[in-house]
Amino acid sequence: MTTENPMTVLVTGATGTVGRPLVEQLLAAGHRVRALTRNPARANLPAGAEVVAGDLADTASLPEAFSGADAAHLIGFGGDEYAPLTNGVEIVDLAVKAGVRKVTVLRGDVTKGPLEEAVEAGGLEWTHLSPVEFMSNTLEWAESVREEGVVREARARPIHGS
């Protein structure tokens, strides 16, 4: 199925658990996809995705990624420690100046971080995604399940939108 009015969608975290399938689904729906990754040479994304180098934690690396995008899927965390991004205002400023109108933010925590707060204040149409857990992360639970028969990490997280 293709869309009559394809958008250019920037997908950050494009090689991750959420980003990679999102790239595939957007392409299948007929959208133009710009996939942001820190290492384009290793991205191995589907044909049709425009792969660009950048890092959400490094605002200076992002102008090309946002240029001409209509929408963006952002992740609210970065680096190897999955710490909340601290440059939310700068990211939103770049997005707005580039013409982005719609944003989803994959949150790394239940509480809002600087990116989520900036998106809400930035005049964009937005949706925050707060998954409980990914099945790919369940090995982290192995010890508590083996020793106690209990999963200690799971907690409900809401989905919010504008």
Side-chain angles (χ1 to χ4, degrees), residues 11-60:
V11 177
T12 67
T15 60
T17 303
V18 173
R20 184 175 299 277
L22 180 58
V23 167
E24 293 168 357
Q25 290 175 11
L26 288 168
L27 287 170
H31 294 288
R32 293 176 297 272
V33 176
R34 184 168 303 130
L36 183 77
T37 180
R38 290 179 283 193
N39 190 343
R42 293 183 51 200
N44 195 29
L45 290 165
E50 176 191 356
V51 181
V52 296
D55 185 338
L56 278 177
D58 177 10
T59 309

Side-chain angles (χ1 to χ4, degrees), residues 1-20:
M1 173 185 264
T2 60
T3 182
E4 290 183 27
N5 298 311
M7 294 190 297
T8 296
V9 182
L10 170 63
V11 177
T12 67
T15 60
T17 303
V18 173
R20 184 175 299 277

